Each structure stands twice: as C-alpha cells, then as structure tokens.
Amino acid sequence: MTDDPKIKIPDAIERLFDLKLSKYEAFRNSVNTLVNTPLFNPKKTEGSYAVGGRKKTYLENSELIKFHNAILLQAIFPAPKTIHKFFEDIIDERHALSKWAHGLLIHQQSISGIGLTSAKLHRYFEVLSTSDDLTKIKLPNPFEILPQVHLKGHTSVCALLSAQSSSMSATDSMVAYFLSDDLENAAKYARQVDSDVQIIRQYQSLILKKYEEAIVFTELLSEWRN
C-alpha cells in the first residue's frame, strides 16, 4: 500500500501546525487565496463535489515544505506577491525584505500575546537571509501561536503593527506599512521620517521612489483607458 501523493488543505494545516482550519474563517480564506496563486499547483476534485457543493482542493505532498514556509511567511508578510518573492531567484530583494522585517520585529517579543521565541526568530531570519531553497529547507516556527489565528481582525504581524502605527515611530510605521504592501501609507510615514541613519534614509528614499512610480503608472493606465 502506497501513501497518497496528495493532501487536502485542511489536513495539511493540521499536520504542519496542529490546527483545525475550519475553526478560523479569516485564516482559511487567506490560506485559500495563497494556495490559488502561481506559487502552488493545487488540484481540485473532478466530477464530485464536497459537502456544501464545494470542490475539495489538494496539494501534492511534494509541496508541503513550500506550503509550511509560505504559511510562516504569511504570518509576517500579508501580501501573496511579497511571499512569492521569497521563492524566486531575486536574492537581493529577498534579503532586503528579510532585513526590514527582522529590524521591525526583533524588539517585539510579545505582540498581542502571540509570543515570539527569540532563538527561533533569529534562526528564521537567518535562513531567509541566505539563498537556501525554501521549497526544500523548512523554516523554524518562531511563533507560540500563529498570528493568523490569534490576531483578531488581522492575519499577519505587519498588518497588526500597521494598525497600531499611532503608537510607533514614523520609521517603524513606514516599514510596517511597506511590508504590508500599503505603499500609500508607507510613503505618508516616510515623509515624516527625520533620521541621519544611512540605512533608514535609504529605506525612506526607496519607499518614496516606489510610491511615485506607482502614481505615475496609475496615471498612465488611467489615460490609456480613457
């Protein structure tokens, strides 16, 4: 008897994180969104539907390490397109994202009670700062409780920190919004940053540049449609 080469999404979550996906609607929705990006190759049942008229979605067992890592990345970075970057060969961008997030979180050891294990958090970012293949190398889980199931109304640490921007410095708010893929608010706080620290000024300049490029692109797209 051979093992089934595929696994249902809820079963994968339970195997990897000991969680019942059906209990967490927001997490379930975010997982389904992630699975249906080009990062994965989900299979759906054909011909018969699951209870409630929904097709069952499966992943190949060979994608489980990638799925595990994507969920742990989602715990910090809410945007699927940002998560995708950690699996691409653009190492410089991956390293930059990792460095930004590490700097933001390293002093946030008890965000809303989720608990961050310092040693595992360090190792987590240590792996991200390499060129290791995240489809083969398993990230350590630095969370006592996955943020996706614990943060009421938020599905990532950066999304939560963005919502708490009024209690953070302009620099931390700028980074939190940027890592949450909210360029408009990231640029808003970038304009408030007043620092002589070179790396912070570089972040500030990069965010403002990306925001201006996005504005130009939006305007060009609007003109083309009209």
Side-chain angles (χ1 to χ4, degrees):
M1 183 175 179
T2 58
D3 291 335
D4 193 334
K6 62 185 184 301
I7 184 170
K8 288 183 290 185
I9 303 302
D11 292 342
I13 290 292
E14 186 168 9
R15 179 190 296 186
L16 294 170
F17 301 103
D18 195 26
L19 291 170
K20 291 284 189 182
L21 191 59
S22 60
K23 293 183 178 180
Y24 308 99
E25 184 178 0
F27 184 34
R28 184 178 70 238
N29 291 339
S30 67
V31 168
N32 289 337
T33 297
L34 185 61
V35 166
N36 286 290
T37 65
L39 186 58
F40 294 99
N41 185 29
K43 310 294 183 185
K44 297 184 185 294
T45 52
E46 296 180 5
S48 62
Y49 286 79
V51 175
R54 295 181 179 178
K55 288 187 176 183
K56 295 179 181 179
T57 303
Y58 296 83
L59 286 179
E60 299 290 341
N61 278 323
S62 59
E63 290 193 293
L64 276 181
I65 290 179
K66 178 169 62 175
F67 182 63
H68 170 271
N69 291 343
I71 295 299
L72 290 181
L73 287 165
Q74 184 193 57
I76 295 177
F77 308 94
K81 69 179 184 181
T82 302
I83 295 168
H84 199 286
K85 290 176 181 178
F86 285 91
F87 295 90
E88 297 175 337
D89 293 328
I90 310 172
I91 300 301
D92 287 347
E93 189 162 7
R94 166 175 158 174
H95 289 178
L97 288 168
S98 174
K99 187 174 182 178
W100 285 39
H102 193 193
L104 181 64
L105 299 183
I106 198 63
H107 302 300
Q108 306 282 347
Q109 296 301 298
S110 57
I111 302 171
S112 274
I114 59 173
L116 288 168
T117 307
S118 296
K120 288 185 178 180
L121 185 65
H122 177 75
R123 178 59 185 153
Y124 174 95
F125 283 110
E126 191 176 65
V127 173
L128 292 183
S129 67
T130 69
S131 57
D132 288 348
D133 186 347
L134 294 182
T135 67
K136 299 176 181 177
I137 303 295
K138 209 171 183 181
L139 284 169
N141 183 356
F143 304 102
E144 293 175 10
I145 307 172
L146 276 181
Q148 294 98 312
V149 304
H150 184 70
L151 302 179
K152 304 293 185 184
H154 302 283
T155 55
S156 78
V157 171
C158 281
L160 173 70
L161 292 177
S162 297
Q164 298 176 344
S165 59
S166 61
S167 63
M168 296 195 301
S169 69
T171 298
D172 283 348
S173 297
M174 170 185 76
V175 173
Y177 274 115
F178 181 74
L179 295 178
S180 298
D181 198 36
D182 186 340
L183 262 182
E184 184 174 358
N185 277 309
K188 169 187 168 183
Y189 281 98
R191 295 189 192 99
Q192 298 175 23
V193 170
D194 183 13
S195 174
D196 293 327
V197 179
Q198 184 178 5
I199 189 65
I200 293 177
R201 291 177 66 85
Q202 288 175 349
Y203 290 167
Q204 178 188 37
S205 177
L206 175 64
I207 287 171
L208 291 174
K209 180 181 178 183
K210 284 182 174 290
Y211 180 66
E212 291 303 322
E213 289 174 348
I215 291 296
V216 170
F217 177 76
T218 301
E219 289 175 348
L220 287 173
L221 189 60
S222 178
E223 289 179 9
W224 176 75
R225 285 176 174 170
N226 293 330

